[in-house]
Amino acid sequence: MIRYLKQSLQPFLLPTLSLAFAACAPVPDFYEAQNLSAKPFNQLDLAGNACGPASLLNSYRFGDPNWRKLSEEPAGLSDRERIRAIARGPAMRESSSLPGRARWSRRGINLSDLREVANEMASPAYLPSLAQQTLFLKPTESQQSHIQRVHSLLASSLKAEIPPILSIRRFAKRGGKWTSIQAHFVTVISVPGNIPTGETSFPVKYIDPLGGNFREGRIAISRTAFLQTDPAANPNLEAIFPDVTIGKNSLRSGETSYLAVSAVLGKF
């Protein structure tokens, strides 16, 4: 009878034990991209509006070998030629989010179209589809829960060995109102393993395709009231990325700006 019970319980115990071991697995100090010794793609090798294609290629190049192949094949191409192959290939197909125009234009590419480009490239290699999420504060969410959720999304994609692409947007306080100035993409290559309860920011390492540089910054709960009168109701976290210059040349004298963390593309 005891032997029968052991045998009958075995199929149920194995998944339970697996979950228990997974729960006990130590959290690393940092989740990092696998191929950190690689050279970043520089959008300026092609054009100033090529941050989307360049960030996507950086995500591939700094990922695991399966993703890396998408930045290496066909062999023999220069970095400029690889960016151009995306910009003049899948990025020139009609946009599903903006019918009647190409996915990539002189204003760049939006996140939905970049996701479609990414998944069209991944499908022939039998790689999983990437997903996008907007990073707005949910109706019943606290800022503390919000920053934990954003961190979790970035960490999940890094754990899946495909560095996430972060969409950021600069706003200017103009005439008493926040005005959108310019958007940009960067590729996240490192975040902490966890954020202690009560922390209001966490460090991020990322690749800025504008120049193809490794950079460091923080994603933070801002004390500045942004698009709301109360900072606790801010819809977006702030990207404290001192080296990101997008939109700064459009600021007028005396204007303050806010670099908002607006959306993410990755595996989660």
Side-chain angles (χ1 to χ4, degrees):
M1 180 66 175
I2 292 174
R3 180 180 295 177
Y4 171 76
L5 284 172
K6 286 182 177 178
Q7 290 174 342
S8 62
L9 287 173
Q10 191 173 21
F12 301 98
L13 286 172
L14 287 175
T16 304
L17 288 171
S18 297
L19 288 172
F21 284 126
C24 294
V27 175
D29 291 337
F30 290 92
Y31 292 110
E32 296 185 323
Q34 188 182 106
N35 192 28
L36 286 175
S37 62
K39 173 192 171 187
F41 283 90
N42 180 355
Q43 69 188 71
L44 297 178
D45 285 345
L46 181 67
N49 61 343
C51 65
S55 289
L56 181 59
L57 284 167
N58 279 327
S59 183
Y60 293 156
R61 178 174 276 178
F62 284 76
D64 77 11
N66 293 317
W67 289 105
R68 210 172 302 160
K69 288 179 182 178
L70 297 182
S71 69
E72 296 171 344
E73 297 176 353
L77 297 183
S78 67
D79 282 5
R80 181 182 187 278
E81 289 168 331
R82 294 191 189 283
I83 300 171
R84 182 182 174 84
I86 293 178
R88 297 301 183 188
M92 286 306 292
R93 297 186 185 122
E94 185 176 359
S95 168
S96 59
S97 59
L98 299 168
R101 53 155 278 187
R103 291 168 173 166
W104 183 66
S105 70
R106 66 181 184 85
R107 299 188 66 182
I109 187 170
N110 66 41
L111 192 67
S112 295
D113 287 327
L114 188 62
R115 183 200 67 222
E116 292 193 357
V117 169
N119 290 339
E120 285 176 12
M121 292 178 66
S123 180
Y126 301 101
L127 289 166
S129 295
L130 301 184
Q132 71 179 75
Q133 284 206 27
T134 53
L135 301 178
F136 296 110
L137 185 73
K138 294 181 179 180
T140 60
E141 190 175 40
S142 68
Q143 292 290 353
Q144 189 65 51
S145 296
H146 188 195
I147 198 170
Q148 291 285 351
R149 176 167 59 88
V150 171
H151 168 267
S152 178
L153 289 168
L154 298 176
S156 292
S157 197
L158 284 166
K159 283 190 285 185
E161 298 184 329
I162 176 71
I165 297 169
L166 192 67
S167 173
I168 54 179
R169 183 177 293 271
R170 190 175 300 279
F171 289 78
K173 192 71 173 289
R174 181 169 294 172
K177 296 181 179 179
W178 288 103
T179 301
S180 176
I181 300 296
Q182 190 175 355
H184 191 48
F185 293 114
V186 299
T187 304
V188 176
I189 56 172
S190 175
V191 297
N194 60 39
I195 310 174
T197 302
E199 283 291 327
T200 58
S201 70
F202 64 91
V204 175
K205 292 182 181 179
Y206 62 95
I207 299 167
D208 188 345
L210 188 62
N213 295 308
F214 294 102
R215 300 297 191 191
E216 296 184 18
R218 300 187 75 83
I219 290 177
I221 298 171
S222 181
R223 295 181 180 179
T224 300
F226 169 65
L227 295 174
Q228 301 290 332
T229 56
D230 180 4
N234 282 354
N236 299 94
L237 298 172
E238 184 176 9
I240 304 175
F241 293 177
D243 297 302
V244 167
T245 60
I246 59 104
K248 285 188 173 181
N249 60 358
S250 298
L251 295 176
R252 299 171 185 171
S253 178
E255 285 184 337
T256 58
S257 70
Y258 187 99
L259 193 59
V261 178
S262 58
V264 64
L265 175 66
K267 182 72 177 68
F268 27 76

